[in-house]
Amino acid sequence: MNIALIFAGGSGKRMNSKSKPKQFLELHGKEIIIYTLEHFERHPQIDAIVVVCIKEWIEYLKTSLKKNNIEKVEWIVPGGETGQDSIFNGLKAIYENYSEDSIVLIHDGVRPLINAELISSNIQSVKEYGSAVTVAPVVETVMLTEHKNKVYKSIEREKCCMAKAPQSFFLKDIYAAHQKAISEGIHTKIDSATMMSDYGFSLHTVECGSENIKITTPADFYIFRALIDARENSQIFGI
């Protein structure tokens, strides 16, 4: 079984939206999270979807799922105090209902510019290597700095990449890592890939394009809108 775990538990303070969390902001009458979910809904290898959502917005999400014919969402679970806690809430729902040999694709609800090929590559990578961390090449110079903004040294771009999503693993492995973190009183791991690396798991990367952005700020939303409009225009005008 291949299950998508979609994290939509953030409040989106950097988006400066006072009315809605960022995942529920609309473009052309459709919420960002719906754009994201549609990729997993339409993918033939995805068997089920679990969404982690802000508790107060669960009913709103249910209405939106029905309106947009999203049928693979099996559970919507409330988020936790931290991102790590929220992901664990979703993993727990999956662990209680599916085989531990299932593949889990952990993805941001506000990362809607993915595609079917990336989802397929994540699944195949987990089957072959036990993990899939989506990454994008670094296209600018990376420098390490010390205190007082002093440059320590520059890093070869060819050896660097930016961690994106999905981040995918066998359920038994990612669930065990979360349990270990909880047993150690840790609740603030940055992301799943960091957690797995910290606990000794070997990670394999899957490359994506630069358009796989996380919509965090107003500027990100404008980029998202431009890319969606460009895709729609290419279909209409055959560009």
Side-chain angles (χ1 to χ4, degrees):
M1 301 289 281
N2 304 313
I3 301 107
L5 173 52
I6 309 301
F7 172 61
S11 59
K13 293 180 181 178
R14 281 174 288 180
M15 184 60 75
N16 297 323
S17 173
K18 297 179 180 179
S19 58
K20 292 181 179 181
K22 58 187 177 182
Q23 56 270 30
F24 295 110
L25 296 177
E26 295 184 12
L27 176 64
H28 303 319
K30 186 163 61 178
E31 295 88 350
I32 292 172
I33 190 172
I34 297 299
Y35 281 94
T36 301
L37 288 169
E38 284 177 337
H39 294 289
F40 296 94
E41 175 74 17
R42 297 168 181 169
H43 199 286
Q45 289 181 275
I46 296 297
D47 299 295
I49 302 171
V50 175
V51 181
V52 181
C53 182
I54 300 171
K55 184 177 180 180
E56 293 77 13
W57 285 83
I58 288 178
E59 291 304 316
Y60 181 97
L61 177 58
K62 288 179 179 178
T63 300
S64 185
L65 295 177
K66 185 175 181 180
K67 180 180 71 174
N68 291 280
N69 300 311
I70 304 295
E71 299 178 346
K72 286 186 180 179
V73 174
E74 296 289 343
W75 299 278
I76 303 174
V77 299
E81 290 296 319
T82 67
Q84 178 189 319
D85 291 339
S86 295
I87 295 299
F88 181 72
N89 288 351
L91 288 172
K92 190 167 183 278
I94 297 171
Y95 195 83
E96 291 172 349
N97 291 279
Y98 287 103
S99 165
E100 65 176 12
D101 292 324
S102 297
I103 292 173
V104 180
L105 295 85
I106 302 171
H107 192 70
D108 302 301
V110 289
R111 201 182 285 274
L113 293 168
I114 59 171
N115 53 49
E117 181 181 0
L118 182 57
I119 294 172
S120 296
S121 296
N122 266 256
I123 293 171
Q124 187 60 35
S125 179
V126 176
K127 288 179 178 179
E128 291 185 18
Y129 305 106
S131 65
V133 179
T134 303
V135 300
V138 172
V139 296
E140 298 192 44
T141 302
V142 178
M143 292 188 172
L144 295 179
T145 59
E146 293 180 321
H147 63 285
K148 296 183 179 179
N149 300 323
K150 181 180 179 182
V151 174
Y152 177 61
K153 67 175 180 179
S154 61
I155 306 296
E156 294 179 52
R157 283 183 299 190
E158 292 76 13
K159 295 182 178 180
C160 298
C161 58
M162 296 179 63
K164 302 278 188 172
Q167 297 182 359
S168 309
F169 311 93
F170 284 115
L171 174 59
K172 59 186 176 184
D173 293 335
I174 186 64
Y175 191 77
H178 271 265
Q179 286 188 310
K180 184 172 178 60
I182 292 171
S183 71
E184 295 175 355
I186 298 172
H187 296 270
T188 55
K189 290 288 184 181
I190 296 173
D191 63 4
S192 298
T194 300
M195 176 182 288
M196 296 295 276
S197 178
D198 288 348
Y199 289 135
F201 285 88
S202 178
L203 301 182
H204 189 82
T205 61
V206 172
E207 190 168 309
C208 69
S210 59
E211 73 278 2
N212 184 11
I213 62 172
K214 183 178 181 181
I215 301 176
T216 304
T217 67
D220 298 327
F221 183 84
Y222 296 137
I223 293 170
F224 169 53
R225 184 173 67 183
L227 289 170
I228 289 294
D229 288 346
R231 289 180 182 180
E232 290 185 354
N233 290 338
S234 69
Q235 294 178 33
I236 295 171
F237 300 110
I239 300 173

mmCIF file of all heavy atoms in Angstrom, residues 130-172:
data_model
loop_
_atom_site.group_PDB
_atom_site.id
_atom_site.type_symbol
_atom_site.label_atom_id
_atom_site.label_comp_id
_atom_site.label_asym_id
_atom_site.label_seq_id
_atom_site.Cartn_x
_atom_site.Cartn_y
_atom_site.Cartn_z
ATOM 1 N N GLY A 130 14.754 2.095 0.241
ATOM 2 C CA GLY A 130 14.210 2.268 1.588
ATOM 3 C C GLY A 130 13.888 3.696 1.954
ATOM 4 O O GLY A 130 13.370 3.953 3.051
ATOM 5 N N SER A 131 14.165 4.628 1.063
ATOM 6 C CA SER A 131 13.859 6.030 1.356
ATOM 7 C C SER A 131 13.811 6.830 0.069
ATOM 8 O O SER A 131 14.333 6.405 -0.965
ATOM 9 C CB SER A 131 14.907 6.644 2.295
ATOM 10 O OG SER A 131 16.172 6.684 1.656
ATOM 11 N N ALA A 132 13.188 8.002 0.153
ATOM 12 C CA ALA A 132 13.177 8.949 -0.960
ATOM 13 C C ALA A 132 13.048 10.346 -0.379
ATOM 14 O O ALA A 132 12.026 10.685 0.223
ATOM 15 C CB ALA A 132 12.019 8.665 -1.916
ATOM 16 N N VAL A 133 14.086 11.132 -0.519
ATOM 17 C CA VAL A 133 14.047 12.530 -0.079
ATOM 18 C C VAL A 133 14.104 13.394 -1.330
ATOM 19 O O VAL A 133 15.111 13.416 -2.038
ATOM 20 C CB VAL A 133 15.215 12.869 0.858
ATOM 21 C CG1 VAL A 133 15.151 14.338 1.270
ATOM 22 C CG2 VAL A 133 15.198 11.973 2.081
ATOM 23 N N THR A 134 13.022 14.078 -1.615
ATOM 24 C CA THR A 134 12.974 14.941 -2.792
ATOM 25 C C THR A 134 13.884 16.144 -2.583
ATOM 26 O O THR A 134 13.816 16.810 -1.546
ATOM 27 C CB THR A 134 11.539 15.404 -3.063
ATOM 28 O OG1 THR A 134 10.697 14.258 -3.225
ATOM 29 C CG2 THR A 134 11.466 16.257 -4.309
ATOM 30 N N VAL A 135 14.727 16.408 -3.570
ATOM 31 C CA VAL A 135 15.666 17.528 -3.467
ATOM 32 C C VAL A 135 15.695 18.311 -4.775
ATOM 33 O O VAL A 135 15.340 17.797 -5.835
ATOM 34 C CB VAL A 135 17.096 17.051 -3.126
ATOM 35 C CG1 VAL A 135 17.139 16.306 -1.807
ATOM 36 C CG2 VAL A 135 17.658 16.170 -4.256
ATOM 37 N N ALA A 136 16.136 19.546 -4.672
ATOM 38 C CA ALA A 136 16.352 20.395 -5.843
ATOM 39 C C ALA A 136 17.797 20.860 -5.833
ATOM 40 O O ALA A 136 18.380 21.099 -4.768
ATOM 41 C CB ALA A 136 15.421 21.603 -5.821
ATOM 42 N N PRO A 137 18.411 20.983 -7.003
ATOM 43 C CA PRO A 137 19.810 21.440 -7.056
ATOM 44 C C PRO A 137 19.951 22.862 -6.512
ATOM 45 O O PRO A 137 19.039 23.685 -6.650
ATOM 46 C CB PRO A 137 20.139 21.402 -8.549
ATOM 47 C CG PRO A 137 19.094 20.532 -9.172
ATOM 48 C CD PRO A 137 17.861 20.694 -8.337
ATOM 49 N N VAL A 138 21.065 23.135 -5.903
ATOM 50 C CA VAL A 138 21.386 24.491 -5.469
ATOM 51 C C VAL A 138 21.977 25.239 -6.662
ATOM 52 O O VAL A 138 22.916 24.756 -7.295
ATOM 53 C CB VAL A 138 22.381 24.482 -4.298
ATOM 54 C CG1 VAL A 138 22.865 25.896 -3.984
ATOM 55 C CG2 VAL A 138 21.743 23.865 -3.062
ATOM 56 N N VAL A 139 21.427 26.395 -6.975
ATOM 57 C CA VAL A 139 21.860 27.120 -8.178
ATOM 58 C C VAL A 139 22.666 28.377 -7.859
ATOM 59 O O VAL A 139 23.133 29.065 -8.762
ATOM 60 C CB VAL A 139 20.641 27.490 -9.051
ATOM 61 C CG1 VAL A 139 19.962 26.234 -9.559
ATOM 62 C CG2 VAL A 139 19.656 28.363 -8.283
ATOM 63 N N GLU A 140 22.828 28.688 -6.580
ATOM 64 C CA GLU A 140 23.636 29.842 -6.199
ATOM 65 C C GLU A 140 24.712 29.406 -5.227
ATOM 66 O O GLU A 140 24.667 28.306 -4.665
ATOM 67 C CB GLU A 140 22.749 30.935 -5.583
ATOM 68 C CG GLU A 140 21.705 31.463 -6.552
ATOM 69 C CD GLU A 140 21.032 32.721 -6.033
ATOM 70 O OE1 GLU A 140 21.750 33.599 -5.522
ATOM 71 O OE2 GLU A 140 19.805 32.810 -6.140
ATOM 72 N N THR A 141 25.681 30.262 -5.016
ATOM 73 C CA THR A 141 26.788 29.937 -4.134
ATOM 74 C C THR A 141 26.318 29.819 -2.685
ATOM 75 O O THR A 141 25.550 30.656 -2.203
ATOM 76 C CB THR A 141 27.886 31.015 -4.227
ATOM 77 O OG1 THR A 141 28.322 31.102 -5.580
ATOM 78 C CG2 THR A 141 29.063 30.685 -3.332
ATOM 79 N N VAL A 142 26.812 28.794 -2.002
ATOM 80 C CA VAL A 142 26.479 28.580 -0.593
ATOM 81 C C VAL A 142 27.710 28.895 0.248
ATOM 82 O O VAL A 142 28.810 28.417 -0.050
ATOM 83 C CB VAL A 142 26.036 27.127 -0.338
ATOM 84 C CG1 VAL A 142 25.735 26.916 1.147
ATOM 85 C CG2 VAL A 142 24.812 26.788 -1.181
ATOM 86 N N MET A 143 27.526 29.692 1.286
ATOM 87 C CA MET A 143 28.646 30.055 2.150
ATOM 88 C C MET A 143 28.315 29.786 3.610
ATOM 89 O O MET A 143 27.183 29.998 4.046
ATOM 90 C CB MET A 143 29.008 31.537 1.978
ATOM 91 C CG MET A 143 29.607 31.884 0.631
ATOM 92 S SD MET A 143 30.204 33.588 0.583
ATOM 93 C CE MET A 143 31.057 33.595 -0.999
ATOM 94 N N LEU A 144 29.317 29.323 4.342
ATOM 95 C CA LEU A 144 29.204 29.178 5.784
ATOM 96 C C LEU A 144 29.713 30.457 6.438
ATOM 97 O O LEU A 144 30.739 30.997 6.033
ATOM 98 C CB LEU A 144 30.029 27.989 6.269
ATOM 99 C CG LEU A 144 29.592 26.596 5.809
ATOM 100 C CD1 LEU A 144 30.536 25.541 6.371
ATOM 101 C CD2 LEU A 144 28.164 26.307 6.237
ATOM 102 N N THR A 145 28.981 30.941 7.444
ATOM 103 C CA THR A 145 29.379 32.176 8.111
ATOM 104 C C THR A 145 29.599 31.948 9.597
ATOM 105 O O THR A 145 29.018 31.044 10.205
ATOM 106 C CB THR A 145 28.320 33.270 7.925
ATOM 107 O OG1 THR A 145 27.069 32.809 8.463
ATOM 108 C CG2 THR A 145 28.139 33.601 6.451
ATOM 109 N N GLU A 146 30.447 32.785 10.183
ATOM 110 C CA GLU A 146 30.657 32.788 11.616
ATOM 111 C C GLU A 146 29.920 33.990 12.201
ATOM 112 O O GLU A 146 29.153 34.658 11.515
ATOM 113 C CB GLU A 146 32.160 32.881 11.918
ATOM 114 C CG GLU A 146 32.949 31.650 11.493
ATOM 115 C CD GLU A 146 34.432 31.798 11.809
ATOM 116 O OE1 GLU A 146 34.962 32.915 11.627
ATOM 117 O OE2 GLU A 146 35.041 30.804 12.234
ATOM 118 N N HIS A 147 30.182 34.288 13.479
ATOM 119 C CA HIS A 147 29.575 35.435 14.115
ATOM 120 C C HIS A 147 30.022 36.724 13.420
ATOM 121 O O HIS A 147 31.049 36.760 12.746
ATOM 122 C CB HIS A 147 29.947 35.469 15.597
ATOM 123 C CG HIS A 147 31.405 35.641 15.865
ATOM 124 N ND1 HIS A 147 32.314 34.622 15.704
ATOM 125 C CD2 HIS A 147 32.124 36.718 16.261
ATOM 126 C CE1 HIS A 147 33.520 35.053 16.011
ATOM 127 N NE2 HIS A 147 33.442 36.326 16.349
ATOM 128 N N LYS A 148 29.236 37.748 13.567
ATOM 129 C CA LYS A 148 29.486 39.063 12.971
ATOM 130 C C LYS A 148 29.545 39.004 11.446
ATOM 131 O O LYS A 148 30.270 39.767 10.804
ATOM 132 C CB LYS A 148 30.766 39.684 13.546
ATOM 133 C CG LYS A 148 30.676 39.976 15.036
ATOM 134 C CD LYS A 148 31.933 40.666 15.542
ATOM 135 C CE LYS A 148 31.808 40.968 17.036
ATOM 136 N NZ LYS A 148 33.015 41.628 17.572
ATOM 137 N N ASN A 149 28.787 38.058 10.863
ATOM 138 C CA ASN A 149 28.635 37.963 9.411
ATOM 139 C C ASN A 149 29.937 37.692 8.663
ATOM 140 O O ASN A 149 30.070 38.035 7.478
ATOM 141 C CB ASN A 149 27.982 39.234 8.854
ATOM 142 C CG ASN A 149 26.602 39.454 9.444
ATOM 143 O OD1 ASN A 149 25.869 38.506 9.665
ATOM 144 N ND2 ASN A 149 26.269 40.705 9.687
ATOM 145 N N LYS A 150 30.893 37.098 9.308
ATOM 146 C CA LYS A 150 32.156 36.777 8.659
ATOM 147 C C LYS A 150 32.024 35.460 7.900
ATOM 148 O O LYS A 150 31.566 34.467 8.454
ATOM 149 C CB LYS A 150 33.274 36.676 9.688
ATOM 150 C CG LYS A 150 34.634 36.370 9.075
ATOM 151 C CD LYS A 150 35.713 36.289 10.152
ATOM 152 C CE LYS A 150 37.063 35.962 9.530
ATOM 153 N NZ LYS A 150 38.117 35.845 10.587
ATOM 154 N N VAL A 151 32.416 35.456 6.635
ATOM 155 C CA VAL A 151 32.353 34.235 5.835
ATOM 156 C C VAL A 151 33.439 33.268 6.274
ATOM 157 O O VAL A 151 34.614 33.621 6.335
ATOM 158 C CB VAL A 151 32.500 34.544 4.328
ATOM 159 C CG1 VAL A 151 32.583 33.249 3.528
ATOM 160 C CG2 VAL A 151 31.336 35.396 3.848
ATOM 161 N N TYR A 152 33.021 32.053 6.600
ATOM 162 C CA TYR A 152 33.961 31.019 7.022
ATOM 163 C C TYR A 152 34.555 30.309 5.816
ATOM 164 O O TYR A 152 35.760 30.196 5.664
ATOM 165 C CB TYR A 152 33.245 30.037 7.948
ATOM 166 C CG TYR A 152 34.075 28.860 8.402
ATOM 167 C CD1 TYR A 152 35.236 29.051 9.138
ATOM 168 C CD2 TYR A 152 33.699 27.572 8.075
ATOM 169 C CE1 TYR A 152 35.994 27.972 9.557
ATOM 170 C CE2 TYR A 152 34.466 26.470 8.489
ATOM 171 C CZ TYR A 152 35.615 26.691 9.219
ATOM 172 O OH TYR A 152 36.364 25.621 9.624
ATOM 173 N N LYS A 153 33.699 29.847 4.908
ATOM 174 C CA LYS A 153 34.157 29.267 3.648
ATOM 175 C C LYS A 153 32.953 29.052 2.740
ATOM 176 O O LYS A 153 31.801 29.015 3.191
ATOM 177 C CB LYS A 153 34.892 27.950 3.859
ATOM 178 C CG LYS A 153 34.036 26.806 4.361
ATOM 179 C CD LYS A 153 34.857 25.519 4.414
ATOM 180 C CE LYS A 153 34.014 24.357 4.927
ATOM 181 N NZ LYS A 153 34.787 23.093 4.952
ATOM 182 N N SER A 154 33.223 28.933 1.460
ATOM 183 C CA SER A 154 32.161 28.630 0.502
ATOM 184 C C SER A 154 32.117 27.120 0.257
ATOM 185 O O SER A 154 33.120 26.429 0.435
ATOM 186 C CB SER A 154 32.390 29.386 -0.810
ATOM 187 O OG SER A 154 33.621 28.989 -1.386
ATOM 188 N N ILE A 155 30.941 26.647 -0.148
ATOM 189 C CA ILE A 155 30.719 25.226 -0.365
ATOM 190 C C ILE A 155 30.480 24.984 -1.854
ATOM 191 O O ILE A 155 29.797 25.772 -2.518
ATOM 192 C CB ILE A 155 29.495 24.725 0.439
ATOM 193 C CG1 ILE A 155 29.640 25.086 1.923
ATOM 194 C CG2 ILE A 155 29.310 23.227 0.268
ATOM 195 C CD1 ILE A 155 30.797 24.412 2.618
ATOM 196 N N GLU A 156 31.025 23.904 -2.360
ATOM 197 C CA GLU A 156 30.800 23.568 -3.764
ATOM 198 C C GLU A 156 29.317 23.288 -3.997
ATOM 199 O O GLU A 156 28.724 22.446 -3.316
ATOM 200 C CB GLU A 156 31.619 22.337 -4.144
ATOM 201 C CG GLU A 156 33.116 22.533 -4.107
ATOM 202 C CD GLU A 156 33.850 21.251 -4.486
ATOM 203 O OE1 GLU A 156 33.524 20.678 -5.538
ATOM 204 O OE2 GLU A 156 34.726 20.829 -3.705
ATOM 205 N N ARG A 157 28.721 24.004 -4.937
ATOM 206 C CA ARG A 157 27.290 23.818 -5.212
ATOM 207 C C ARG A 157 26.970 22.391 -5.624
ATOM 208 O O ARG A 157 25.895 21.875 -5.325
ATOM 209 C CB ARG A 157 26.842 24.773 -6.311
ATOM 210 C CG ARG A 157 26.644 26.190 -5.858
ATOM 211 C CD ARG A 157 26.144 27.062 -6.969
ATOM 212 N NE ARG A 157 27.089 27.119 -8.103
ATOM 213 C CZ ARG A 157 26.970 27.971 -9.116
ATOM 214 N NH1 ARG A 157 25.965 28.814 -9.136
ATOM 215 N NH2 ARG A 157 27.854 27.993 -10.084
ATOM 216 N N GLU A 158 27.902 21.755 -6.324
ATOM 217 C CA GLU A 158 27.658 20.408 -6.819
ATOM 218 C C GLU A 158 27.440 19.405 -5.683
ATOM 219 O O GLU A 158 26.861 18.336 -5.886
ATOM 220 C CB GLU A 158 28.827 19.942 -7.693
ATOM 221 C CG GLU A 158 28.965 20.694 -9.012
ATOM 222 C CD GLU A 158 29.557 22.085 -8.834
ATOM 223 O OE1 GLU A 158 30.085 22.371 -7.740
ATOM 224 O OE2 GLU A 158 29.482 22.884 -9.788
ATOM 225 N N LYS A 159 27.906 19.754 -4.483
ATOM 226 C CA LYS A 159 27.755 18.862 -3.334
ATOM 227 C C LYS A 159 26.549 19.228 -2.474
ATOM 228 O O LYS A 159 26.305 18.602 -1.439
ATOM 229 C CB LYS A 159 29.020 18.901 -2.472
ATOM 230 C CG LYS A 159 30.258 18.346 -3.173
ATOM 231 C CD LYS A 159 31.461 18.374 -2.247
ATOM 232 C CE LYS A 159 32.696 17.780 -2.934
ATOM 233 N NZ LYS A 159 33.887 17.811 -2.039
ATOM 234 N N CYS A 160 25.792 20.234 -2.889
ATOM 235 C CA CYS A 160 24.664 20.707 -2.092
ATOM 236 C C CYS A 160 23.332 20.488 -2.813
ATOM 237 O O CYS A 160 23.287 20.473 -4.045
ATOM 238 C CB CYS A 160 24.815 22.205 -1.787
ATOM 239 S SG CYS A 160 26.274 22.632 -0.813
ATOM 240 N N CYS A 161 22.298 20.348 -2.041
ATOM 241 C CA CYS A 161 20.947 20.301 -2.590
ATOM 242 C C CYS A 161 19.988 20.829 -1.536
ATOM 243 O O CYS A 161 20.323 20.908 -0.359
ATOM 244 C CB CYS A 161 20.552 18.883 -3.012
ATOM 245 S SG CYS A 161 20.638 17.656 -1.697
ATOM 246 N N MET A 162 18.802 21.211 -1.971
ATOM 247 C CA MET A 162 17.782 21.735 -1.065
ATOM 248 C C MET A 162 16.722 20.667 -0.827
ATOM 249 O O MET A 162 16.149 20.131 -1.787
ATOM 250 C CB MET A 162 17.139 22.986 -1.665
ATOM 251 C CG MET A 162 18.101 24.138 -1.844
ATOM 252 S SD MET A 162 17.301 25.592 -2.584
ATOM 253 C CE MET A 162 16.102 25.981 -1.322
ATOM 254 N N ALA A 163 16.473 20.345 0.424
ATOM 255 C CA ALA A 163 15.471 19.341 0.751
ATOM 256 C C ALA A 163 14.076 19.875 0.476
ATOM 257 O O ALA A 163 13.731 20.995 0.867
ATOM 258 C CB ALA A 163 15.597 18.933 2.216
ATOM 259 N N LYS A 164 13.285 19.083 -0.211
ATOM 260 C CA LYS A 164 11.917 19.453 -0.551
ATOM 261 C C LYS A 164 10.974 18.359 -0.037
ATOM 262 O O LYS A 164 11.249 17.714 0.970
ATOM 263 C CB LYS A 164 11.786 19.611 -2.063
ATOM 264 C CG LYS A 164 12.724 20.656 -2.683
ATOM 265 C CD LYS A 164 12.194 22.054 -2.548
ATOM 266 C CE LYS A 164 13.018 23.046 -3.334
ATOM 267 N NZ LYS A 164 12.395 24.392 -3.355
ATOM 268 N N ALA A 165 9.884 18.134 -0.721
ATOM 269 C CA ALA A 165 8.938 17.062 -0.401
ATOM 270 C C ALA A 165 8.301 16.608 -1.708
ATOM 271 O O ALA A 165 8.267 17.377 -2.681
ATOM 272 C CB ALA A 165 7.880 17.543 0.593
ATOM 273 N N PRO A 166 7.808 15.375 -1.752
ATOM 274 C CA PRO A 166 7.620 14.421 -0.659
ATOM 275 C C PRO A 166 8.939 13.906 -0.081
ATOM 276 O O PRO A 166 9.971 13.910 -0.739
ATOM 277 C CB PRO A 166 6.847 13.272 -1.323
ATOM 278 C CG PRO A 166 6.302 13.818 -2.600
ATOM 279 C CD PRO A 166 7.262 14.861 -3.032
ATOM 280 N N GLN A 167 8.823 13.412 1.180
ATOM 281 C CA GLN A 167 9.866 12.633 1.821
ATOM 282 C C GLN A 167 9.211 11.311 2.192
ATOM 283 O O GLN A 167 8.231 11.298 2.943
ATOM 284 C CB GLN A 167 10.424 13.365 3.038
ATOM 285 C CG GLN A 167 11.098 14.683 2.661
ATOM 286 C CD GLN A 167 11.696 15.414 3.838
ATOM 287 O OE1 GLN A 167 11.613 14.979 4.984
ATOM 288 N NE2 GLN A 167 12.326 16.557 3.553
ATOM 289 N N SER A 168 9.748 10.213 1.675
ATOM 290 C CA SER A 168 9.008 8.958 1.699
ATOM 291 C C SER A 168 9.825 7.821 2.298
ATOM 292 O O SER A 168 11.035 7.711 2.053
ATOM 293 C CB SER A 168 8.579 8.590 0.274
ATOM 294 O OG SER A 168 7.924 9.681 -0.349
ATOM 295 N N PHE A 169 9.119 6.957 3.057
ATOM 296 C CA PHE A 169 9.780 5.873 3.775
ATOM 297 C C PHE A 169 8.806 4.710 3.962
ATOM 298 O O PHE A 169 7.601 4.863 3.800
ATOM 299 C CB PHE A 169 10.242 6.355 5.160
ATOM 300 C CG PHE A 169 10.995 7.642 5.148
ATOM 301 C CD1 PHE A 169 10.335 8.853 5.332
ATOM 302 C CD2 PHE A 169 12.361 7.662 4.930
ATOM 303 C CE1 PHE A 169 11.026 10.051 5.302
ATOM 304 C CE2 PHE A 169 13.060 8.857 4.897
ATOM 305 C CZ PHE A 169 12.393 10.058 5.085
ATOM 306 N N PHE A 170 9.366 3.562 4.323
ATOM 307 C CA PHE A 170 8.500 2.488 4.783
ATOM 308 C C PHE A 170 7.896 2.907 6.117
ATOM 309 O O PHE A 170 8.576 3.497 6.966
ATOM 310 C CB PHE A 170 9.286 1.184 4.948
ATOM 311 C CG PHE A 170 9.597 0.495 3.649
ATOM 312 C CD1 PHE A 170 10.910 0.365 3.216
ATOM 313 C CD2 PHE A 170 8.577 -0.020 2.859
ATOM 314 C CE1 PHE A 170 11.204 -0.263 2.015
ATOM 315 C CE2 PHE A 170 8.855 -0.652 1.644
ATOM 316 C CZ PHE A 170 10.168 -0.766 1.229
ATOM 317 N N LEU A 171 6.628 2.590 6.307
ATOM 318 C CA LEU A 171 5.921 2.998 7.519
ATOM 319 C C LEU A 171 6.638 2.544 8.778
ATOM 320 O O LEU A 171 6.782 3.314 9.737
ATOM 321 C CB LEU A 171 4.493 2.440 7.487
ATOM 322 C CG LEU A 171 3.639 2.647 8.738
ATOM 323 C CD1 LEU A 171 3.483 4.122 9.074
ATOM 324 C CD2 LEU A 171 2.272 1.991 8.558
ATOM 325 N N LYS A 172 7.104 1.293 8.805
ATOM 326 C CA LYS A 172 7.739 0.761 10.016
ATOM 327 C C LYS A 172 8.982 1.562 10.398
ATOM 328 O O LYS A 172 9.261 1.744 11.599
ATOM 329 C CB LYS A 172 8.104 -0.703 9.819
ATOM 330 C CG LYS A 172 9.047 -0.974 8.662
ATOM 331 C CD LYS A 172 9.251 -2.470 8.443
ATOM 332 C CE LYS A 172 10.119 -2.741 7.215
ATOM 333 N NZ LYS A 172 10.231 -4.191 6.943
#
